[in-house]
Amino acid sequence: MEDRESGSSRRSIYCPLYPLAEWAAYHWWFLRADARPARNVDVGRPDRYLPRDVRRHSLRGSGDGFLWPNLLIVPEGASKRLVWQRDHAQADGQRPIRFLSDGEALVDGAAVELELERLISAVLTRLAEQGVHGTTLEKEWGAVQAAEPDEVEFCLAAARLGLDPYAEAEPYQDLIVRAASELRGDILGDFYDAVEPDSLAAALDWINEARSEVGLTQRRTDAVRLREDLWAGATTPPPVDRAWERGWTQARAVRRALGLPDSERFPLEPYIVNVGRSPADPGLRAFGGAAEGFGPVAVTVPGLPVTASRFTLSRALWHYLWESEPFFLVTTAYTDRQKVERAFAAELLAPAAGIGGLLGAPPLAAIQDDIEEIAVRYQVSPMVIKHQLENQLLAA
């Protein structure tokens, strides 16, 4: 950071911790579970977040007259994304300090929560040692700590819906309870992360209708045998640390099990059945599942371009091949699970090794025409090819 008065730069600041601890306590449930800001197309640009998201997720929301770093804490499932942005020079020069660096990191979510808990506890301990009691922080954190398991579950569900559990969630309480009673396992969390609160009832009705479609559409596709082979262990990919790498590894295992060369287009039709039914919320891209002994059925948005449909169906296929739950959702959320399925779909449909071979030149020399030609070959969007280039070939 830059200290304008001295004209020097330093790596630390002296500041009161009470405002930061109070901010963390007030926004505890959002910091734990609200993954919605991760959908921001400019996830690495804190200055382009909604004011509401800045208040809930950025240290700068601590306020209290101090210029805190523009650091956002965004949950993405088991991980949390930390994004920080430098301050641009002000023409009036009124700010006494200016933060100079940009960056982001994906870290263990539980570790971040533990550090925030330690911060809050340390501030409360120091206040108690000074004989200061009954503060807003003490009351707010006491309420969080005293929450019963059912209340914790409700608060986390509300936060995943983008709702303040104490100030905004009451009108939706019955629908949140209904969702918890009708949906089980990972599909419930995926549902909360994706739908808008005002669409809860219609979205639950759509899921029930889609579930009936899945039950009525039973076919023994080639995915049944493929899944058995993968689960037998012979082609099970090794564990990896980052979600998207797991998706890539699992896609390669599928192609390897089928003996499909990286240069060939993946034929989805023999593996998954597609049924069109418009969802009640734009956050829901597909609902799917499979009856015992039958292949997967995905109920998706009708009328999608072929490339978009293939990508959605590939994401759905990941759930059937690699998860044990009978039903699943494909959504617009950007949590760990959704990252895995997106990476799986990209590598299944357009393997990075195949793209590298088709380019016939170093990846850095690729031009837009190359990307579009390869996209046509694999029947995917040029954006998929671009992402594969950036995330694998150019990053190698």
Side-chain angles (χ1 to χ4, degrees):
M1 60 159 287
E2 177 188 51
D3 187 323
R4 291 184 182 277
E5 184 175 352
S6 66
S8 63
S9 298
R10 47 193 170 92
R11 298 179 62 85
S12 61
I13 58 174
Y14 295 94
C15 57
L17 287 179
Y18 181 90
L20 184 58
E22 187 179 75
W23 168 81
Y26 261 106
H27 300 94
W28 181 250
W29 305 113
F30 292 116
L31 294 172
R32 281 194 63 185
D34 178 20
R36 289 172 179 252
R39 296 186 294 185
N40 193 325
V41 293
D42 283 319
V43 68
R45 293 288 303 274
D47 59 322
R48 296 188 181 181
Y49 278 66
L50 295 173
R52 182 191 68 177
D53 291 335
V54 171
R55 289 194 303 272
R56 293 173 174 178
H57 293 274
S58 174
L59 267 62
R60 189 151 284 184
S62 304
D64 209 38
F66 192 83
L67 186 63
W68 297 92
N70 199 2
L71 167 66
L72 284 106
I73 303 173
V74 182
E76 296 186 3
S79 305
K80 294 195 195 300
R81 184 176 297 276
L82 307 182
V83 183
W84 59 96
Q85 186 176 34
R86 67 186 179 91
D87 294 319
H88 297 286
Q90 299 291 313
D92 55 17
Q94 290 182 357
R95 292 181 176 176
I97 60 173
R98 182 165 69 96
F99 295 96
L100 301 175
S101 65
D102 295 294
E104 62 178 276
L106 198 63
V107 299
D108 179 67
V112 174
E113 292 170 16
L114 179 59
E115 290 304 317
L116 290 174
E117 286 186 41
R118 287 174 174 169
L119 167 68
I120 294 169
S121 297
V123 171
L124 288 171
T125 298
R126 183 63 182 273
L127 289 172
E129 291 172 350
Q130 300 299 315
V132 180
H133 299 282
T135 61
T136 302
L137 170 61
E138 184 177 356
K139 295 174 183 176
E140 185 69 22
W141 189 240
V144 170
Q145 296 291 88
E148 296 291 336
D150 286 349
E151 184 181 355
V152 171
E153 185 178 341
F154 176 81
C155 289
L156 291 173
R160 294 180 85 156
L161 286 162
L163 299 170
D164 186 314
Y166 305 119
E168 300 173 326
E170 185 177 359
Y172 305 96
Q173 181 173 346
D174 291 343
L175 289 169
I176 292 174
V177 172
R178 177 188 165 190
S181 67
E182 294 182 6
L183 306 175
R184 291 285 187 274
D186 289 327
I187 192 173
L188 176 61
D190 291 340
F191 178 78
Y192 287 146
D193 289 334
V195 302
E196 293 301 318
D198 289 339
S199 301
L200 279 169
L204 286 169
D205 291 342
W206 179 81
I207 286 177
N208 287 330
E209 294 167 1
R211 198 196 309 263
S212 297
E213 291 272 14
V214 170
L216 293 172
T217 311
Q218 299 181 359
R219 299 179 194 170
R220 189 171 172 82
T221 70
D222 291 350
V224 176
R225 177 61 183 274
L226 174 59
R227 187 180 195 231
E228 291 171 352
D229 291 343
L230 292 169
W231 281 45
T235 56
T236 300
V240 291
D241 293 331
R242 296 186 291 186
W244 53 92
E245 290 182 348
R246 179 154 65 95
W248 295 337
T249 305
Q250 290 172 331
R252 290 167 194 151
V254 170
R255 278 185 165 262
R256 188 164 57 248
L258 296 173
L260 187 66
D262 290 332
S263 59
E264 295 298 317
R265 181 179 69 87
F266 187 88
L268 277 166
E269 295 78 10
Y271 298 96
I272 187 166
V273 178
N274 184 22
V275 178
R277 178 182 285 270
S278 296
D281 185 280
L284 303 178
R285 308 305 295 168
F287 174 91
E292 185 68 30
F294 292 92
V297 178
V299 181
T300 67
V301 181
L304 288 176
V306 172
T307 55
S309 178
R310 279 173 54 78
F311 196 78
T312 299
L313 290 173
S314 297
R315 293 175 64 188
L317 184 60
W318 172 81
H319 286 275
Y320 173 78
L321 293 178
W322 294 105
E323 294 198 311
S324 58
E325 295 188 6
F327 298 104
F328 56 82
L329 279 174
V330 175
T331 76
T332 58
Y334 272 83
T335 60
D336 291 338
R337 283 163 45 74
Q338 306 294 331
K339 289 178 190 175
V340 173
E341 67 178 42
R342 284 186 175 91
F344 172 85
E347 184 68 11
L348 182 73
L349 297 177
I355 294 171
L358 293 170
L359 279 173
L364 278 173
I367 61 175
Q368 187 63 33
D369 284 351
D370 296 329
I371 291 173
E372 291 177 358
E373 287 175 9
I374 295 173
V376 170
R377 180 186 181 100
Y378 283 122
Q379 237 178 344
V380 298
S381 163
M383 186 64 71
V384 172
I385 306 300
K386 183 173 182 290
H387 284 169
Q388 288 287 80
L389 278 168
E390 294 173 346
N391 297 333
Q392 296 201 63
L393 296 176
L394 294 177

